[in-house]
Amino acid sequence: MKYPEDLPKMAKVKESTNVLDFSYDPATKFLFVRFKTKHLKEDEAPLYRYADVPPGTFKRFKAAPSKGEYLWRHIRGKFRYSLWTGSTWRSQVAVRRDVAERKKLRQKND
């Protein structure tokens, strides 16, 4: 898969069963993460871009002994994200935010 040309240099994660590599762009506050998969080669790994990630959150992610655990507990579901399709970003919404917003909408309409 061809990744975006403006993708910051990725830092390899050796001790993770989940995260292949990651990078952060402080100017845009995007956190980029590629995940390991059993069925895809390393150069085909899915690339996600998390939006509006504060520098402190990135620093804690970078320092975390388990990148996957930190990502699941503190990033996934809390920040909007997009999946790289090979030619463009396909936007997704954070699951928890989406569920919370639908719940509020239902309560409002009841």
Side-chain angles (χ1 to χ4, degrees):
M1 173 186 305
K2 184 178 177 186
Y3 293 110
E5 292 178 13
D6 60 345
L7 183 65
K9 184 176 179 181
M10 303 291 276
K12 289 273 188 205
V13 180
K14 295 177 183 172
E15 295 84 28
S16 179
T17 57
N18 237 347
V19 177
L20 178 64
D21 50 18
F22 65 91
S23 65
Y24 182 71
D25 182 356
T28 61
K29 294 186 180 176
F30 283 135
L31 171 64
F32 300 91
V33 179
R34 284 195 318 157
F35 291 95
K36 293 180 179 178
T37 62
K38 292 180 182 179
H39 307 295
L40 296 173
K41 297 176 189 174
E42 205 173 279
D43 63 345
E44 297 173 335
L47 172 66
Y48 287 84
R49 177 181 72 178
Y50 295 88
D52 301 320
V53 177
T57 300
F58 170 68
K59 286 177 186 175
R60 288 185 292 279
F61 170 72
K62 186 177 177 181
S66 172
K67 305 292 187 270
E69 184 178 340
Y70 188 89
L71 187 99
W72 282 90
R73 286 184 181 213
H74 303 285
I75 296 173
R76 187 175 186 272
K78 297 182 180 176
F79 296 94
R80 291 176 299 115
Y81 66 95
S82 303
L83 172 66
W84 179 251
T85 64
S87 59
T88 188
W89 292 101
R90 183 176 72 210
S91 293
Q92 306 291 324
V93 287
V95 175
R96 292 182 192 158
R97 281 188 183 170
D98 185 47
V99 170
E101 287 173 10
R102 280 188 277 153
K103 186 176 179 180
K104 284 180 188 176
L105 186 61
R106 275 188 302 219
Q107 289 173 346
K108 196 181 221 182
N109 291 333
D110 288 340

